[in-house]
Amino acid sequence: MNIDVSEEPQLQNALPDQATNDTLFFDDVMTALAAAAPPGSTVKIIGFERADMFLRAGYKTVENEPDVTIARGGEREFEIARRTECGKLILCPTHGYTAAASAVYRARDKAFAIMRRGDKPFAAVFDVSDIDDNLASLFGEIVSLDLAAFDLTFSAYMRGERTDERVTSEVTQLVAALTAELKPLEKNRTEQKRVLLKAGRQAARIVEKTPELLHGSGAAQTAEAFRMLCAAEDRPLGMRGETEMLLGAYVIDFYIKSLTSAKPEFPPNNNKRIDSVCEYFHADLPRACVYASPIFPPNKMRLYEYRLGEFRSDQLKRITALSARQKSAWQVFKRLYPDDGYSLKTLVDKTDIGICLALAPDVFTAETMLSFLKQTGTLEKYIV
């Protein structure tokens, strides 16, 4: 597979042109493989404990230049698979559903997470018998698209553009329907898996059509800062879906407060911010300098501030409705844990939220309301 990606940092979030060929969806990996290549073809498998079923079907397993690469797991396994030169790519998500059909994927530049682009997967396999046991994380991944859709709309308004309301409608309907369908299924894990798988397929198709949604929220940015903090301090970290779900509640509340009361304070101090990224997250200085989001020039900032005031009521209406959906989802989210959410008390240390929220725009590039709030100086007070 030839991955179309530049290592130049300024291209880290470049998105591919919209592909015309949709990723095919299957219920099991062998059916997907048969559609991709005939028996006798070579395959490379990633994330599978054994190769028996592929060998019995007449395929040959190789390490280099296979006809088909098959990756089972989440985004880490998907990234490994994309590095392989191959004819076709099949992704079998046990989690990371939202990334299963998109050409955009998240990779790593040492401490920093970056977005890259590559070939679209030929197929994605959604197998109900192969779902990760952490159902709360699966739910969180899907629900997190709601905030990403808001941030996508907000950034478009700040640029003087408008987004396709169809995308927001599809996401909000998916989140509301999924929450309602899971609510009466408390502790019925068999049915919960079935419902989550169906929603995961829908989420993957939405992201395939609108790849900007993938990790395009303030919660995704804050979760990356939190991941870097945990790595720097050698602390355990939950799965992405549950971390973004937890941090999303704080980000949404912060957005609402900012839209109702916050005013521009003073330009951000990028030198201080870069030093803080190195201090708290153990990032090396050259990369911290490159990934720090540049400060807007005065004319651009004044235009953005005008648009914020002009469209404030519309954005506040959107984020208030989103908050209501998130609160309903939160109750379902907790019940998906065997301990009814008791373990959430220790998953994220609240004392870390301020610094992670403040530095998030400088550790993961995305056009979000949080990135804009950095420009207003609103986040500086949380850097200590």
Side-chain angles (χ1 to χ4, degrees):
M1 180 189 301
N2 294 318
I3 298 179
D4 178 18
V5 57
S6 170
E7 293 296 332
E8 292 299 319
Q10 64 266 26
L11 298 181
Q12 62 174 314
N13 277 17
L15 295 177
D17 293 332
Q18 181 63 52
T20 56
N21 56 315
D22 290 346
T23 297
L24 301 177
F25 286 2
F26 294 90
D27 296 325
D28 67 272
V29 66
M30 296 311 300
T31 303
L33 179 55
S41 302
T42 57
V43 299
K44 177 176 180 177
I45 58 173
I46 298 167
F48 292 86
E49 294 182 3
R50 301 170 65 102
D52 299 26
M53 63 179 174
F54 303 105
L55 297 175
R56 286 196 300 269
Y59 293 91
K60 303 173 185 177
T61 59
V62 296
E63 284 299 313
N64 300 313
E65 299 186 1
D67 297 314
V68 182
T69 296
I70 308 173
R72 172 187 175 273
E75 289 183 272
R76 183 177 66 86
E77 290 78 13
F78 299 168
E79 180 194 354
I80 295 170
R82 290 179 186 274
R83 297 175 187 167
T84 304
E85 294 282 348
C86 69
K88 293 179 179 177
L89 174 66
I90 297 175
L91 301 180
C92 307
T94 59
H95 55 289
Y97 285 151
T98 57
S102 175
V104 177
Y105 66 103
R106 185 164 56 174
R108 194 74 54 79
D109 179 13
K110 291 196 174 179
F112 291 90
I114 56 176
M115 296 302 292
R116 288 180 174 168
R117 64 187 181 204
D119 293 341
K120 278 174 57 43
F122 167 78
V125 177
F126 293 85
D127 188 342
V128 73
S129 67
D130 198 26
I131 291 180
D132 191 274
D133 288 336
N134 192 332
L135 302 186
S137 183
L138 297 177
F139 181 61
E141 287 179 13
I142 298 169
V143 172
S144 294
L145 291 178
D146 209 351
L147 183 57
F150 170 82
D151 275 313
L152 184 66
T153 299
F154 179 88
S155 62
Y157 270 76
M158 292 299 101
R159 294 193 306 270
E161 302 171 3
R162 299 295 180 271
T163 56
D164 185 352
E165 289 297 329
R166 174 189 55 82
V167 176
T168 299
S169 177
E170 287 180 354
V171 171
T172 56
Q173 288 178 26
L174 173 61
V175 171
L178 176 58
T179 301
E181 196 167 357
L182 284 174
K183 193 169 185 178
L185 298 178
E186 190 172 318
K187 305 308 177 187
N188 185 342
R189 293 184 68 82
T190 299
E191 280 301 296
Q192 288 172 337
K193 286 183 177 182
R194 180 190 62 79
V195 170
L196 283 166
L197 184 85
K198 181 182 69 173
R201 290 172 68 116
Q202 290 179 256
R205 193 64 86 191
I206 291 171
V207 173
E208 179 186 19
K209 302 299 184 183
T210 310
E212 297 88 348
L213 288 170
L214 189 60
H215 311 307
S217 73
Q221 291 176 297
T222 307
E224 272 305 318
F226 184 68
R227 178 194 62 77
M228 291 174 69
L229 180 64
C230 289
E233 298 181 354
D234 195 24
R235 289 158 48 185
L237 180 69
M239 294 180 70
R240 180 178 68 82
E242 55 189 342
T243 304
E244 283 194 26
M245 186 78 180
L246 276 164
L247 294 174
Y250 294 98
V251 173
I252 291 168
D253 184 57
F254 189 68
Y255 281 5
I256 292 174
K257 290 178 180 177
S258 299
L259 283 170
T260 54
S261 60
K263 296 181 180 180
E265 298 180 16
F266 44 80
N269 184 338
N270 259 11
N271 289 332
K272 180 180 179 181
R273 298 177 70 83
I274 289 168
D275 288 343
S276 296
V277 168
C278 295
E279 176 187 352
Y280 286 99
F281 305 145
H282 296 181
D284 59 85
L285 183 59
R287 281 180 171 78
C289 290
V290 168
Y291 290 130
S293 57
I295 299 172
F296 293 163
N299 287 344
K300 183 177 181 179
M301 195 63 218
R302 283 194 288 270
L303 175 59
Y304 275 32
E305 289 170 3
Y306 167 78
R307 283 178 174 150
L308 179 63
E310 181 71 13
F311 302 111
R312 186 187 305 273
S313 60
D314 177 78
Q315 300 305 314
L316 188 57
K317 180 180 178 181
R318 289 174 184 268
I319 195 68
T320 302
L322 189 156
S323 179
R325 288 191 299 274
Q326 293 285 310
K327 288 176 181 176
S328 296
W330 179 256
Q331 296 304 316
V332 172
F333 176 69
K334 291 193 297 182
R335 298 296 184 267
L336 288 171
Y337 287 94
D339 62 3
D340 298 313
Y342 177 77
S343 56
L344 293 174
K345 293 178 176 292
T346 57
L347 196 60
V348 173
D349 191 331
K350 291 183 179 180
T351 61
D352 298 325
I353 292 174
I355 193 66
C356 290
L357 191 75
L359 297 176
D362 291 320
V363 301
F364 190 65
T365 303
E367 287 195 353
T368 67
M369 184 175 170
L370 192 61
S371 294
F372 171 78
L373 288 172
K374 174 209 165 169
Q375 301 293 333
T376 67
T378 305
L379 304 179
E380 300 302 288
K381 64 175 71 73
Y382 302 102
I383 303 175
V384 294

